[in-house]
Amino acid sequence: MDLTQAVEGTEYLIKAIEVEDEELESFLFSLGCYAGETITVVSRRKKTSVVSIKDARYSIDNQLAEAIKI
């Protein structure tokens, strides 16, 4: 299951990050988004989701959310 299918307000454990771009993967890692970390979808819009990782909130697009497996 990927992050686009997550229920808002529920905490999930990140199982994997599936991106082909190494820079994007290192960017996500710098945000604290990596396997073994928890993530929560705070809110969702048509093309973006606001997520909470390590007490910080980020807005990510759906393409990126699809790469985060929970």
Side-chain angles (χ1 to χ4, degrees), residues 15-33:
K15 293 184 180 177
I17 305 294
E18 295 180 1
V19 292
E20 294 187 18
D21 184 4
E22 235 176 84
E23 282 185 40
L24 185 55
E25 189 171 2
S26 66
F27 171 71
L28 287 171
F29 185 83
S30 72
L31 297 179
C33 186

